[in-house]
Every structure is written in C-alpha cells, then in structure tokens.
Amino acid sequence: MIDVAHRLRSQGYRLTPQRQLVWEVLRAAHAEGDHLSAEEIHERVSATVADFNVASVYRTLTLLTELGLATEVQLGDGRGHWELAHADDAIHLHCRRCRSVDHHQGELVSRIRSHLHGDHGFVVEDVDVVVHGLCEACAAHPE
Amino acid sequence: MIDVAHRLRSQGYRLTPQRQLVWEVLRAAHAEGDHLSAEEIHERVSATVADFNVASVYRTLTLLTELGLATEVQLGDGRGHWELAHADDAIHLHCRRCRSVDHHQGELVSRIRSHLHGDHGFVVEDVDVVVHGLCEACAAHPE
DNA sequence: ATCGGTGCAAACAATTTGCATTAGA
DNA sequence: TCTAATGCAAATTGTTTGCACCGAT
C-alpha cells in the first residue's frame, strides 16, 4: 500500500486534506473499477470538504501524476479520466453501455513492445491500448 | 481511390468546395504521415478559400467520419487529430519529438480481438492502440 | 426555387492561470 | 514564521450551436 503522506513529504510537498481526499477517492474508485473525470472527483471530495475547488482537483491530479501515483486515461468522450497508476502493460476494456473500465493484464502490451523493438527502430516509451465495446454483463442482456 | 464527390452525392449530401478541400488536405497529409488537428486543417484550407470557418472544418470532419471516410485519433495532447480512414487494425506510432505518426500494420490488433473474444465475454467493437515514444529518425540523433 | 451548407458570433465544456488569503511545516 | 497550497474568478482552448444568408442541385 502506498503511503501518500510520506511520498508527498519526502519530495517536499505538503499533505493537505484536499490532496488526501483526492487520493482516497481514487483508491475507492479503483476498488469499484471506476475511472473518474475531474468533475466526478470534485463532486465526491466535495461531500467531505466544503468550498473544495475544481482547480485543486486538477492541480492535485497533475502532482500525483508527476509522482507516478496516478494516470490519465483517454476514453474518447473528450475529457480525461483518472485512475491509480499501475503497470503500463494493461489494456483498458471500456464498455460503451455501462461506462465501466476493466483492466486486462496480459502479455499483449509487452509483445507490442518487443515486436516494435525488434522489427523497427521505434523506441517505445508508453503504450496506450483502449478497447471499446460491450462488457460481459452488458453483452449478456441486450436491450 | 475514393471518389468523395460521388460518395457524398449518393448519400444526398452536397459537394462544396470546402468539403472538397478538407478532403484534399487530409489526403495530402496522409501522404506525409501527418495527423492534423482541426485547427491545422483550417489553416491549410484557408490558404485557398477566404473566410473559411473552423465550424465548417468540424462539420465536415463529422460528416466524413459518418461516411466512414475519416477517423479521429487521440494522441494525448487534448485535441483531436484526423486522418483518412483505414482498417482499424493499425497501431499508431506517435513520436513525442517530431510529432510524426506512423501506422504499423500487424496481427497485433486482431490478436487482441481474438484473445479477448476467447478468454472473456468482452465484445470488441473498436481497438485503439497508440504507442508513444521516439521514431527511428529522432532516436538516431539525440539532443 | 429549394433546402442544405456556410460564415459568424455566441455558447459550451474542460482545463489552466493570476492573485490575495490560508494553513502546513 | 515562511512559503506552498487553496479558493475564486477570469482567461484559454477545443468544439458545438443558432441563425440569417448563400449557393449546389
């Protein structure tokens, strides 16, 4: 388990209730498989802290990203979605019906890496794979 | 080669110089491997048509997408980038230095499809793969 | 002559920034 | 106390929309 408090302070950043809460919201969402937009994070934290501002959401997310603790994912709806950072070899399975995002671990991303590395001169730094479609549950009962 | 004029008219749409030019800009960009933003398309077409409006770029791109002639790609800089439509089994190799985007055809995407289809209930509709890194040329001479 | 398409300006939505104030360390 | 972090409001940026006029069919 990551200790944000320590992680922040060791880099000279302060631990504020806002930052703590954004982090906890991300953690909770992670458990539910949610990939929240800044606005959604704002709403959830606002339930606890009054006068909490969206700008702080963005500032915090930027900071967490720099520290390698959070990641932004582009799901194709124009806005960014955020999640706890994880190994970059995960595929995002995005259900267009219930909006859920599932992570699928696999050798696929590393295969892409080695494939490109072998045949081509392209130096891979980051692989983004987003698969759009219908999750098992939504595919099961059509409508 | 696709005949946009015919393609448009057969669906009841009109062929306007603006639409024609947007299409030609996309074609030219395709040859150079460029994935243009709406703003860039606007600039290029404006060189030929005076008073050409950005709104028309968006409207035209939306139309071309509906007709299956163009596609939007998310490269991670917040705005959309456009290209001629192509088979959806292409990987985008995005160079963070020179901004070029290369297409890499391969069995990888179809492998993702069949893999997910076999092991999981996820119904794949669209696979977006964007690899960020350095293209061969940029990797060659560092700086 | 129609009615779809365009330019223009205003509306929107997501994200960023400047600045005075607050509160971690 | 000192200065980073916040709230707030205004500014940016990318994209969309309403409407009167224009032009492809």
Side-chain angles (χ1 to χ4, degrees):
Chain A
M1 239 274 292
I2 300 173
D3 178 2
V4 219
H6 179 265
R7 200 60 176 269
L8 284 172
R9 284 196 272 251
S10 70
Q11 304 278 326
Y13 296 106
R14 295 178 183 175
L15 177 65
T16 65
Q18 290 87 336
R19 286 177 177 171
Q20 210 160 191
L21 284 162
V22 167
W23 176 253
E24 260 152 45
V25 163
L26 282 179
R27 279 247 315 279
H30 180 72
E32 303 163 24
D34 272 353
H35 285 57
L36 308 174
S37 67
E39 196 51 61
E40 288 167 328
I41 294 172
H42 177 234
E43 281 169 19
R44 300 199 186 186
V45 174
S46 293
T48 306
V49 180
D51 300 327
F52 176 57
N53 199 276
V54 217
S56 293
V57 179
Y58 285 103
R59 287 188 279 231
T60 300
L61 290 173
T62 303
L63 177 58
L64 291 177
T65 301
E66 277 165 12
L67 295 176
L69 300 175
T71 324
E72 183 175 7
V73 196
Q74 212 58 47
L75 296 180
D77 65 348
R79 57 197 170 154
H81 291 264
W82 300 82
E83 61 178 331
L84 294 192
H86 53 68
D88 92 320
D89 61 339
I91 291 181
H92 288 95
L93 302 180
H94 179 224
C95 178
R96 74 140 202 280
R97 184 126 160 273
C98 70
R99 302 265 139 140
S100 71
V101 178
D102 210 33
H103 285 169
H104 179 66
Q105 287 293 341
E107 6 62 75
L108 289 163
V109 171
S110 57
R111 198 174 290 174
I112 291 175
R113 284 179 174 282
S114 55
H115 178 72
L116 290 176
H117 187 62
D119 295 17
H120 313 270
F122 197 90
V123 179
V124 178
E125 290 176 351
D126 214 56
V127 181
D128 288 355
V129 183
V130 181
V131 179
H132 303 273
L134 289 174
C135 70
E136 189 157 18
C138 286
H141 44 80
E143 171 232 355
Chain B
M1 239 276 290
I2 300 172
D3 179 1
V4 219
H6 180 264
R7 199 59 176 269
L8 284 172
R9 284 197 270 252
S10 70
Q11 304 278 325
Y13 297 105
R14 294 179 183 173
L15 176 65
T16 64
Q18 289 89 335
R19 286 176 175 171
Q20 211 160 189
L21 283 163
V22 167
W23 176 253
E24 260 152 45
V25 164
L26 282 179
R27 279 246 317 279
H30 180 70
E32 302 163 26
D34 271 354
H35 286 57
L36 308 174
S37 67
E39 196 51 61
E40 290 168 327
I41 294 172
H42 178 234
E43 282 169 18
R44 300 200 186 184
V45 174
S46 292
T48 305
V49 179
D51 299 327
F52 176 57
N53 199 276
V54 216
S56 293
V57 178
Y58 285 103
R59 287 187 281 230
T60 300
L61 290 173
T62 302
L63 176 59
L64 291 176
T65 301
E66 277 164 11
L67 294 177
L69 300 176
T71 325
E72 183 176 6
V73 196
Q74 213 57 48
L75 295 180
D77 66 347
R79 59 200 169 151
H81 291 263
W82 300 82
E83 60 179 332
L84 292 193
H86 53 69
D88 91 321
D89 61 337
I91 290 181
H92 288 95
L93 302 180
H94 178 222
C95 178
R96 74 139 203 280
R97 183 123 161 276
C98 70
R99 302 267 142 139
S100 71
V101 177
D102 210 31
H103 286 169
H104 179 65
Q105 287 293 341
E107 7 63 74
L108 289 162
V109 171
S110 57
R111 197 173 292 175
I112 291 176
R113 284 180 175 280
S114 56
H115 178 73
L116 291 175
H117 187 63
D119 295 16
H120 312 270
F122 198 91
V123 179
V124 178
E125 290 177 350
D126 214 57
V127 181
D128 289 353
V129 183
V130 181
V131 179
H132 303 273
L134 289 174
C135 70
E136 189 158 17
C138 286
H141 44 81
E143 171 229 356

